[in-house]
């Protein structure tokens, strides 16, 4: 494609009078109240990089109840969760405190594995599903995980990553609501604009694995069969020479069954209809499993089983996510395409967070037409190409305008983000955001600057297997976590939370009245639309 045609595509990114909107004082001021939270998944390993077969350490509290320290799929798979805050520094301080608390309260011979692709894994039988106790709520979480194991296998579930939760403040949405002269109510406008944002993340989200992907290799114990296209790096490691994120490839966290039931993100109603269908439609692949092997035989057992790079989210203690979103809209989005960066003690840096805020805010403002079936197919192909070949010189990516060079598309996108960076710099009296965009843009002209390239270069330079390389970095990070200085009051708070969570779980287990089967039947009933029509899953 000619450069002039590429420039025309770039203009489309900036439609809806973005510049005039960004110049408003109240818009710039609203950026201070952006809220973000981070969820980091980590596998506990031995000091030799072997998957730990020890239970979740009791000093960390109840994985069922604790608000910040829990487990993901397996008993040895930690999940550290910060609350949503509008102070970025406080968010990272909290994440650091959680790492310190865990590092100082887990067995001294264990390490937190710093990469996304798993450590050396035992046979599937030796991978213990997370234990949440004997309460109905705990047993439901365990039954759900048994369903995941029986559907996808345990190895895939041990892939770990970072989820970045992001919301723009109501003052921002009010200003945009007025600027666009939308006829929708504010709550309806916010919900639909989050879907607008999500569509752009889906379209342009391939830049996340390119810029930040850090999983080009994997230990041989992850590979369950010989049917793969990976190359052998050494006796213990498989890799792809140009890969950015095997985690996001078809070799990683994916589901061919779910891909048969794609979700529409063109508006909230279509999304909820598709999600409800997946939650209530029996899957031929799963109906053969006994009732004790999964929560139900639907395409999705629960809303959380939906894979994908980004999700609309809402918090509700009273309603299932689908119904809460139906009645109350969208509160925030969850970006799920971030690898753990093994070079970073927390897996993610504040610098990376700055870029994500820019990208997500840009996605909320740039034009965002509906995603057609044709475009959806192109997006899937594009994502796989970037995940497996993203750094390949001259790589072309499929688009609605035909195949275009990855480098041109990336540079064009980051150039279009520049006005948003300028707005952030104006709001925070800095030039950091514009510099951040230029720093990331340099990775398109020199792919050696990407984390995935550095991982392979350092493995080759040190003649290290994937396991030896990651374990070496993880050991260094563990020392940093243990030596981290945190507020003594924060430490006391975490100790108290751990004890309180264990007590709360014991009380829950002692007080339950309904049988588990009655409990699960109630949970499997789902109101699928705002007219309160019920469906039994």
């Amino acid at each position: 494609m000619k450069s002039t045609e590429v420039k025309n595509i770039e203009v489309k990114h900036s439609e809806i009078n973005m510049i005039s909107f960004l110049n408003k004082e109240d818009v710039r001021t609203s950026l201070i109240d952006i809220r973000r939270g981070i969820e980091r998944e980590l596998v506990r390993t031995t000091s030799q990089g072997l998957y730990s077969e020890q239970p979740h350490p009791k000093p960390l509290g109840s994985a069922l109840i604790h608000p910040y320290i829990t487990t993901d799929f397996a008993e040895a798979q930690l999940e550290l969760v910060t609350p949503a805050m509008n102070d970025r520094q406080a968010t990272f301080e909290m994440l650091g405190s959680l790492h310190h608390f865990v590092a100082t309260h887990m067995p001294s011979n264990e390490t937190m594995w710093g990469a996304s692709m798993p450590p050396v894994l035992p046979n599937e039988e030796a991978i213990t599903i997370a234990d949440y106790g004997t309460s109905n709520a705990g047993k439901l979480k365990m039954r759900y995980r048994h369903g995941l194991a029986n559907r996808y296998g345990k190895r895939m579930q041990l892939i770990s990553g970072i989820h970045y939760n992001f919301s723009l403040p109501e003052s921002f949405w009010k200003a945009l609501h007025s600027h666009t002269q939308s006829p929708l109510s504010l709550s309806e406008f916010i919900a639909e604009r989050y879907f607008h944002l999500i569509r752009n993340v889906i379209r342009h989200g391939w830049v996340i694995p390119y810029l930040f992907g850090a999983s080009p290799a994997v230990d041989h114990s992850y590979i369950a069969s010989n049917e793969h296209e990976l190359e052998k790096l050494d006796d213990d490691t498989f890799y792809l020479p140009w890969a950015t994120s095997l985690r996001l490839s078809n070799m990683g966290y994916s589901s061919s069954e779910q891909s048969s039931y794609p979700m529409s993100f063109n508006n909230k109603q279509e999304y909820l209809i598709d999600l409800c269908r997946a939650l209530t439609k029996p899957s031929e692949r799963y109906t053969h499993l006994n009732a004790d092997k999964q929560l139900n035989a639907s395409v999705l057992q629960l809303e959380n089983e939906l894979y994908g790079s980004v999700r609309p989210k809402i918090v509700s203690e009273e309603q299932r996510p689908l119904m809460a979103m139906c009645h109350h809209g969208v509160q925030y989005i969850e970006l799920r395409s971030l690898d753990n960066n093994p070079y970073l003690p927390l897996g993610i840096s504040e610098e990376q967070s700055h870029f994500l805020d820019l990208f997500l805010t840009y996605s909320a403002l740039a034009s965002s037409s509906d995603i057609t079936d044709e475009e959806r197919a192109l997006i899937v192909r594009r994502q796989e190409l970037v995940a497996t070949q993203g750094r390949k010189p001259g790589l072309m990516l499929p688009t609605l305008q035909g195949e275009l060079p990855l480098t041109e598309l990336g540079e064009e996108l980051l150039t279009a983000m520049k006005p948003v960076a300028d707005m952030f710099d104006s709001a925070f009296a800095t030039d950091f955001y514009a510099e951040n965009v230029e720093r990331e843009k340099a990775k398109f002209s020199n792919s050696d600057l990407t984390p995935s390239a550095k991982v392979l270069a350092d493995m080759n330079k040190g003649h290290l297997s994937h396991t030896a390389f990651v374990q070496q970095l993880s050991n260094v990070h563990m020392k940093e976590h243990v030596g981290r200085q945190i507020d003594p009051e924060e430490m006391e708070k975490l100790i108290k939370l751990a004890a309180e969570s264990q007590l709360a779980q014991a009380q829950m287990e002692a007080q339950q009245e309904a049988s588990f089967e009655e409990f699960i039947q109630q949970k499997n009933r789902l109101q699928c639309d705002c007219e309160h029509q019920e469906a039994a899953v």
Side-chain angles (χ1 to χ4, degrees):
M1 175 173 284
K2 298 178 182 178
S3 59
T4 54
E5 291 177 292
V6 173
K7 289 182 182 297
N8 287 337
I9 296 171
E10 180 179 320
V11 170
K12 292 181 181 179
H13 286 299
S14 302
E15 291 173 354
I16 72 150
N17 298 318
M18 185 188 294
I19 301 299
S20 64
F21 177 71
L22 296 178
N23 285 332
K24 294 184 176 182
E25 180 62 29
D26 58 339
V27 174
R28 291 195 297 271
T29 303
S30 72
L31 299 180
I32 297 171
D33 291 321
I34 285 176
R35 292 168 67 84
R36 59 194 69 78
I38 297 172
E39 306 169 27
R40 187 187 188 192
E41 301 160 347
L42 294 149
V43 176
R44 289 185 292 110
T45 65
T46 69
S47 56
Q48 290 76 41
L50 305 176
Y51 170 85
S52 173
E53 297 183 21
Q54 298 303 308
H56 185 66
K58 288 186 178 180
L60 300 184
S62 163
L64 177 66
I65 301 295
H66 201 296
Y68 310 134
I69 302 172
T70 183
T71 49
D72 193 63
F73 168 78
E75 188 72 350
Q77 190 176 30
L78 295 163
E79 185 170 354
L80 309 183
V81 181
T82 74
M85 293 183 274
N86 60 9
D87 184 330
R88 189 191 318 275
Q89 184 176 355
T91 299
F92 277 84
E93 287 177 354
M94 177 67 174
L95 188 61
S97 295
L98 293 175
H99 281 75
H100 172 78
F101 183 81
V102 171
T104 54
H105 288 80
M106 60 192 285
S108 59
N109 64 339
E110 288 190 352
T111 303
M112 287 183 277
W113 182 253
S116 277
M117 297 308 284
V120 179
L121 296 177
N123 294 330
E124 289 230 346
E125 296 75 23
I127 297 174
T128 305
I129 290 173
D131 187 346
Y132 297 101
T134 61
S135 70
N136 285 336
K139 288 191 285 188
L140 182 141
K141 289 174 74 73
M142 295 167 68
R143 177 74 65 84
Y144 168 64
R145 283 158 175 75
H146 278 285
L148 297 177
N150 289 314
R151 291 171 176 219
Y152 314 112
K154 293 180 178 179
R155 285 183 176 84
M156 190 184 87
Q157 298 302 316
L158 286 171
I159 296 174
S160 299
I162 289 176
H163 299 167
Y164 192 79
N165 300 318
F166 173 90
S167 66
L168 287 157
E170 185 173 294
S171 56
F172 178 95
W173 294 123
K174 284 182 176 179
L176 188 60
H177 184 253
S178 174
H179 182 77
T180 58
Q181 298 181 333
S182 171
L184 297 174
S185 68
L186 181 62
S187 62
E188 291 174 328
F189 175 81
I190 291 173
E192 293 308 321
R193 204 70 192 190
Y194 270 122
F195 279 93
H196 175 117
L197 182 161
I198 286 170
R199 290 194 299 276
N200 274 335
V201 171
I202 292 171
R203 283 191 176 98
H204 309 307
W206 62 266
V207 302
I208 300 300
Y210 180 84
L211 296 174
F212 305 116
S215 56
V218 64
D219 185 80
H220 71 103
S221 62
Y222 174 78
I223 308 300
S225 72
N226 293 323
E227 297 180 5
H228 61 80
E229 298 180 357
L230 300 180
E231 299 179 21
K232 201 169 185 179
L233 184 66
D234 55 43
D235 290 342
D236 299 316
T237 307
F238 285 97
Y239 81 118
L240 287 175
W242 306 111
T244 62
S245 177
L246 294 182
R247 169 178 168 264
L248 295 179
S249 74
N250 290 335
M251 286 292 301
Y253 212 75
S254 63
S255 167
S256 57
E257 175 70 350
Q258 289 188 28
S259 65
S260 301
Y261 300 90
M263 297 288 134
S264 171
F265 293 93
N266 290 336
N267 55 64
K268 186 183 78 168
Q269 182 178 6
E270 288 185 15
Y271 172 77
L272 293 176
I273 289 172
D274 285 349
L275 181 58
C276 186
R277 178 181 60 160
L279 288 166
T280 56
K281 181 178 177 60
S283 167
E284 293 182 3
R285 294 193 182 190
Y286 309 138
T287 51
H288 71 282
L289 295 172
N290 294 335
D292 62 344
K293 300 296 185 182
Q294 57 186 355
L295 279 178
N296 53 65
S298 296
V299 175
L300 300 177
Q301 301 172 91
L302 293 174
E303 291 89 332
N304 284 347
E305 192 174 342
L306 177 63
Y307 298 154
S309 61
V310 60
R311 290 178 185 163
K313 299 282 283 190
I314 184 170
V315 176
S316 174
E317 295 182 0
E318 293 79 26
Q319 294 178 302
R320 282 186 62 161
L322 183 145
M323 288 309 300
M325 192 172 297
C326 177
H327 291 290
H328 307 295
V330 181
Q331 288 181 337
Y332 65 99
I333 64 98
E334 178 186 54
L335 183 67
R336 300 165 50 82
S337 55
L338 296 167
D339 281 358
N340 277 310
N341 186 329
Y343 292 106
L344 301 174
L346 304 182
I348 183 174
S349 66
E350 290 191 49
E351 178 179 281
Q352 186 176 344
S353 171
H354 282 92
F355 181 86
L356 295 175
D357 286 357
L358 287 178
F359 174 67
L360 295 170
T361 303
Y362 167 80
S363 295
L365 295 174
S367 60
S368 182
S369 59
D370 288 354
I371 295 177
T372 63
D373 290 342
E374 177 190 7
E375 186 178 12
R376 182 186 295 114
L378 292 174
I379 289 169
V380 171
R381 286 173 50 203
R382 193 158 62 226
Q383 182 77 13
E384 182 68 9
L385 279 171
V386 174
T388 58
Q389 303 179 47
R391 291 178 290 103
K392 186 176 181 179
L395 180 66
M396 305 291 284
L397 297 182
T399 76
L400 289 172
Q401 291 75 35
E403 291 197 340
L404 294 171
L406 176 150
T407 53
E408 287 189 23
L409 288 172
E411 290 172 356
E412 168 210 331
L413 176 62
L414 268 64
T415 296
M417 288 171 53
K418 183 65 164 54
V420 182
D422 292 341
M423 176 181 68
F424 273 82
D425 279 334
S426 175
F428 293 99
T430 180
D431 55 7
F432 182 84
Y433 290 91
E435 292 176 353
N436 191 304
V437 169
E438 293 304 313
R439 184 164 47 250
E440 295 305 328
K441 188 187 289 188
K443 293 179 181 177
F444 291 106
S445 57
N446 183 5
S447 66
D448 290 344
L449 298 174
T450 62
S452 56
K454 292 180 180 179
V455 166
L456 290 181
D458 287 346
M459 287 172 60
N460 285 317
K461 182 179 179 180
H463 304 287
L464 297 171
S465 67
H466 177 260
T467 295
F469 170 72
V470 175
Q471 191 61 33
Q472 190 177 87
L473 291 173
S474 300
N475 289 339
V476 171
H477 296 331
M478 276 296 288
K479 292 180 181 178
E480 295 181 41
H481 297 323
V482 171
R484 180 183 291 270
Q485 298 297 312
I486 72 169
D487 188 331
E489 291 185 6
E490 182 70 18
M491 191 66 166
E492 286 299 317
K493 177 183 176 182
L494 291 173
I495 292 172
K496 184 179 179 181
L497 273 174
E500 290 176 344
S501 68
Q502 290 172 334
L503 178 61
Q505 178 174 329
Q507 292 173 339
M508 182 185 295
E509 292 171 348
Q511 294 172 357
Q512 67 185 30
E513 297 178 359
S515 70
F516 180 57
E517 293 309 317
E518 292 173 331
F519 180 80
I520 210 171
Q521 286 177 12
Q522 180 62 31
K523 290 295 181 180
N524 275 337
R525 293 197 68 82
L526 181 65
Q527 293 178 335
C528 274
D529 58 36
C530 292
E531 281 70 44
H532 307 289
Q533 296 177 359
E534 291 189 350
V537 179

